């Protein structure tokens, strides 16, 4: 199946899946959906089969009809369409299914003024603005304002969750692919890797994947592989280079140089698992013969996890992946029946999201699942998988589950994630990932939430007060996760109390906290009611 046919099948699955999993059971049948639920004009039930079976042309109006009839937030299904589209074509400056007619100039100017002012923007606002600008290749926007747009949107992407996050991430990818953005993106990438205290790296560096001319960022990427600022910059650069090499967007000499440097990091026992995973993914781009030869050397050196990534593209065993699939399928069949659980597109998404270590492929699959009705089941099953991995001290399996849970962790499992994040005996990199999961979950107000956040603040004080006054690199990474959890929950008051309690904390700790306290008010995550 070629790329166009695959995308067509994936988009039709998005529509069919949304209907079959509708919150209102009456809308799950073709006949019930065709009635329009009082929100759209009725059609014959056979028309639903034509929409979902490939006999009718796809368009924005059709996807919006599904969102409207099913009572979904505007843009939810369109965002899934954009994710599928970008997985096939990374460089794209506008929506996959744009609105009819030329961009609305007055609406674009109004959104542009808001984005450049101290006003809040929603994910849907950014979706509209980026699509309009993407269809204006010669947009009359000052260079400083264009850079300001990218800076603000990058900040918001780092602080987004759910549909808002996906819409912002798509919007910034569109802007990166705009003809105006090349030099700005390269400058932002160089700036962020030069800051050891930057709160986020991956979102900025990933923009290099979405440009027509990724070579402008190569000095930054290769420079980090030679002399990384820290583990976070190294991991982000490995991920971006893997995407560029796989897309054959680099010349052979540069590809070999990148792989050679990745081999050195893969063999460095001092790096955390996520860096080893990124390096192994890059080495895997050597192709079947080269990667298998290298994997055999790693296996001989008892680096079996890295060898599995290089050879097979996965870090955990095939049986563990099958067991996770089985658990999810049992839950899905119990809810919506075997028909929707057996969909080939869904099976491909789960295979990629749960078992593939390549961060580019995995992020697209996780994003689509996040927007799908199956996200709750996937999150609950992986919380159990995480608990199992921790019980048997399987560090790698715990990391792989945490990757899924940063997207789809559920409120019912917050106590588990909190115990992992706050446990002094837990490996710092695993505790950090658990803290990110906590930060990405919206929790109802109440004493339980208040107690949880107070416990996180106490742990921040503990980690920021090391014996001798010097923070190890692993402690800095843990601190990032703990502070993230409080910042994402709008607890800047607790972060301010941390500074008051430890005014003489190490510079790296203070910089981590200050990054959240000094951000613009209109960009801060709001405290949930």
């Amino acid at each position: 199946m070629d790329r166009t046919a695959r995308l067509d099948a994936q988009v039709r699955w998005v529509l069919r899946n949304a209907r079959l999993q509708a919150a209102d059971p009456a809308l799950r049948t073709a006949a019930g959906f065709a009635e329009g639920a009082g929100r759209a004009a009725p059609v014959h039930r056979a028309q639903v089969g034509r929409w979902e079976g490939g006999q009718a042309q796809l368009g924005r109006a059709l996807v919006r009809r599904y969102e409207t009839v099913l009572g979904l937030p505007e843009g939810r299904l369109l965002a899934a369409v954009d994710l599928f589209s970008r997985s096939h074509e990374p460089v794209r400056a506008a929506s996959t299914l744009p609105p009819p007619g030329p961009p609305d100039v007055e609406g674009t100017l109004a959104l542009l003024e808001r984005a450049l002012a101290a006003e809040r923007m929603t994910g849907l606002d950014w979706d509209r603005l980026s699509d309009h600008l993407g269809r204006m290749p010669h947009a009359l926007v000052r260079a400083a304002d264009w850079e300001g747009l990218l800076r603000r949107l990058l900040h918001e992407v780092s602080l987004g969750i759910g549909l808002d996050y996906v819409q912002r991430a798509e919007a910034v990818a569109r802007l990166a692919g705009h003809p105006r953005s090349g030099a700005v993106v390269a400058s932002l990438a160089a700036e962020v890797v030069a800051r050891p205290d930057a709160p986020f790296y991956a979102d900025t560096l990933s923009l290099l994947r979405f440009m027509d001319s990724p070579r402008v960022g190569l000095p930054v990427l290769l420079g980090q592989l030679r002399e990384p600022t820290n583990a976070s910059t190294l991991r982000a650069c490995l991920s971006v280079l893997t995407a560029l090499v796989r897309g054959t967007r680099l010349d052979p000499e540069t590809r070999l140089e990148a792989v050679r440097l990745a081999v050195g990091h893969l063999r460095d026992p001092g790096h955390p698992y996520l860096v080893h995973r990124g390096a192994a993914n890059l080495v895997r781009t050597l192709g079947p013969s080269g990667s298998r030869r290298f994997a055999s050397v790693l296996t001989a050196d008892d680096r079996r996890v890295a060898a599995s990534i290089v050879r097979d593209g996965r870090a955990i065993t095939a049986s563990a992946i099958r067991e996770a699939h089985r658990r999810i399928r049992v839950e899905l069949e119990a809810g919506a029946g075997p028909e929707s659980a057996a969909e080939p597109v869904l099976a491909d998404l789960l295979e990629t999201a749960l078992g593939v270590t390549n961060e580019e492929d995995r992020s697209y699959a996780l994003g689509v699942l996040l927007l799908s009705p199956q996200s709750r089941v996937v999150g609950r099953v992986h919380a159990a998988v995480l608990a199992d991995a921790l019980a048997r001290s399987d560090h790698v399996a715990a990391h792989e589950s945490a990757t899924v849970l940063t997207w789809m962790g559920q409120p019912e499992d917050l106590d588990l994630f909190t115990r992992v994040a706050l446990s002094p005996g837990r490996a710092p990199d695993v505790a950090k990932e658990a803290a990110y999961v906590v930060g990405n979950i919206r929790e109802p107000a109440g004493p339980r939430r208040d107690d949880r956040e107070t416990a996180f603040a106490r742990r921040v004080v503990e980690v920021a007060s090391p014996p001798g006054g010097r923070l190890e690199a692993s402690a800095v990474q843990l601190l990032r996760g703990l502070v993230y959890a409080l910042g994402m929950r709008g607890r800047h008051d607790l972060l301010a109390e941390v500074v008051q309690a430890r005014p003489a904390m190490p510079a790296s700790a203070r910089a981590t906290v200050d990054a959240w306290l000094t951000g613009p008010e209109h960009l801060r995550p709001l405290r949930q009611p």
Side-chain angles (χ1 to χ4, degrees):
M1 189 184 295
D2 65 20
R3 184 168 66 184
T4 301
R6 281 195 69 197
L7 179 58
D8 184 84
Q10 289 165 333
V11 174
R12 293 184 194 279
W13 171 82
V14 168
L15 302 181
R16 184 169 59 253
N17 184 60
R19 175 179 63 80
L20 292 174
Q21 306 281 336
D24 181 355
L27 298 176
R28 295 174 188 171
T29 66
F33 183 80
E35 289 297 319
R39 305 183 186 108
V43 297
H44 192 278
R45 64 177 181 273
Q47 183 62 43
V48 178
R50 288 191 284 270
W51 287 335
E52 297 174 7
Q55 290 82 46
Q57 186 174 2
L58 291 168
R60 188 181 188 90
L62 176 58
V63 181
R64 284 289 297 125
R65 178 189 174 95
Y66 271 71
E67 291 176 344
T68 301
V69 172
L70 296 172
L72 299 174
E74 182 176 352
R76 189 179 191 90
L77 301 183
L78 286 166
V81 170
D82 277 327
L83 280 167
F84 273 127
S85 174
R86 197 167 290 281
S87 72
H88 299 296
E89 186 181 8
V91 181
R92 175 174 46 76
S95 173
T96 306
L97 299 173
D104 176 0
V105 176
E106 288 190 9
T108 302
L109 288 174
L111 285 170
L112 189 60
E113 288 178 3
R114 284 179 55 199
L116 294 172
E119 296 184 38
R120 288 192 175 268
M121 293 273 285
T122 66
L124 190 59
D125 291 333
W126 282 112
D127 177 77
R128 291 169 174 159
L129 176 58
S130 62
D131 175 67
H132 292 175
L133 292 174
R135 292 186 287 144
M136 298 176 180
H138 306 293
L140 296 177
V141 180
R142 295 184 307 169
D145 288 340
W146 194 269
E147 180 178 338
L149 274 183
L150 278 165
R151 285 185 181 277
R152 171 172 178 170
L153 185 47
L154 277 170
H155 192 106
E156 292 195 26
V157 168
S158 301
L159 306 179
I161 61 171
L163 174 59
D164 263 3
Y165 165 77
V166 175
Q167 288 174 323
R168 287 179 169 94
E170 168 64 19
V172 81
R174 292 174 189 168
L175 290 182
H178 196 284
R180 293 283 305 272
S181 295
V184 176
V185 170
S187 174
L188 291 173
E191 177 185 311
V192 76
V193 299
R195 291 182 52 201
D197 61 337
F200 306 102
Y201 298 98
D203 296 314
T204 301
L205 292 169
S206 70
L207 297 188
L208 298 170
R209 294 161 34 200
F210 308 125
M211 298 167 55
D212 266 327
S213 303
R215 290 195 63 85
V216 297
L218 279 180
V220 172
L221 298 173
L222 293 175
Q224 282 297 299
L225 261 64
R226 294 187 186 104
E227 295 184 35
T229 301
N230 55 40
S232 295
T233 62
L234 179 55
R235 176 194 173 190
C237 288
L238 287 166
S239 175
V240 175
L241 280 166
T242 300
L244 296 178
V245 170
R246 290 172 72 228
T248 65
R249 298 174 65 198
L250 301 181
D251 60 83
E253 183 178 340
T254 302
R255 289 202 301 270
L256 287 175
E257 170 70 358
V259 171
R260 183 187 66 80
L261 292 167
V263 168
H265 293 299
L266 186 54
R267 285 176 162 157
D268 185 344
H271 285 318
Y273 165 71
L274 293 177
V275 168
H276 285 151
R277 185 176 76 180
N281 284 325
L282 183 48
V283 172
R284 181 171 165 76
T285 63
L286 284 170
S289 59
S291 60
R292 283 177 185 148
R293 186 166 58 251
F294 189 76
S296 66
V297 175
L298 285 172
T299 302
D301 292 339
D302 202 28
R303 299 290 299 284
R304 300 187 186 281
V305 171
S308 176
I309 296 173
V310 172
R311 183 181 59 248
D312 305 318
R314 63 172 186 259
I316 56 179
T317 65
S319 61
I321 297 170
R322 285 195 299 270
E323 174 59 18
H325 276 235
R326 186 195 66 77
R327 291 188 187 186
I328 290 170
R329 184 160 184 161
V330 166
E331 294 291 332
L332 293 179
E333 288 182 349
E339 179 186 358
S340 61
E343 287 271 9
V345 174
L346 177 60
D348 287 344
L349 286 171
L350 291 171
E351 178 71 28
T352 302
L354 309 187
V356 172
T357 57
N358 181 276
E359 295 193 34
E360 182 185 34
D361 294 342
R362 199 174 194 182
S363 65
Y364 290 132
L366 287 167
V368 174
L369 287 171
L370 169 69
L371 299 174
S372 78
Q374 289 88 351
S375 62
R376 175 176 170 74
V377 169
V378 175
R380 293 305 314 273
V381 166
H382 265 270
V385 172
L386 173 65
D388 291 346
L390 294 172
R392 64 177 187 271
S393 300
D394 188 335
H395 186 78
V396 171
H399 264 298
E400 295 303 315
S401 294
T403 297
V404 176
L405 291 165
T406 55
W407 294 77
M408 286 173 275
Q410 299 298 312
E412 295 91 334
D413 300 306
L414 270 167
D415 288 350
L416 167 64
F417 308 140
T418 299
R419 287 196 302 272
V420 177
L422 300 184
S423 172
R426 189 66 63 190
D429 52 347
V430 174
K432 177 196 72 173
E433 293 296 309
Y436 278 120
V437 176
V438 172
N440 289 344
I441 296 174
R442 291 292 172 256
E443 182 176 10
R448 195 180 190 90
R449 184 178 74 174
D450 295 340
D451 291 346
R452 190 184 318 281
E453 292 161 354
T454 301
F456 266 81
R458 285 198 301 268
R459 182 65 178 141
V460 169
V461 173
E462 292 171 4
V463 175
S465 309
R470 182 179 178 277
L471 272 181
E472 298 293 333
S474 60
V476 174
Q477 293 299 312
L478 171 57
L479 197 62
R480 287 175 183 271
L482 297 169
V483 171
Y484 175 88
L486 291 173
M488 288 296 289
R489 286 165 164 252
R491 296 309 306 265
H492 297 82
D493 56 328
L494 290 178
L495 291 174
E497 290 176 13
V498 166
V499 173
Q500 293 175 354
R502 289 291 183 273
M505 69 176 68
S508 56
R510 182 60 183 265
T512 299
V513 177
D514 282 349
W516 287 87
L517 291 177
T518 59
E521 185 71 31
H522 63 286
L523 301 185
R524 290 182 176 182
L526 293 172
R527 177 76 169 146
Q528 294 298 304

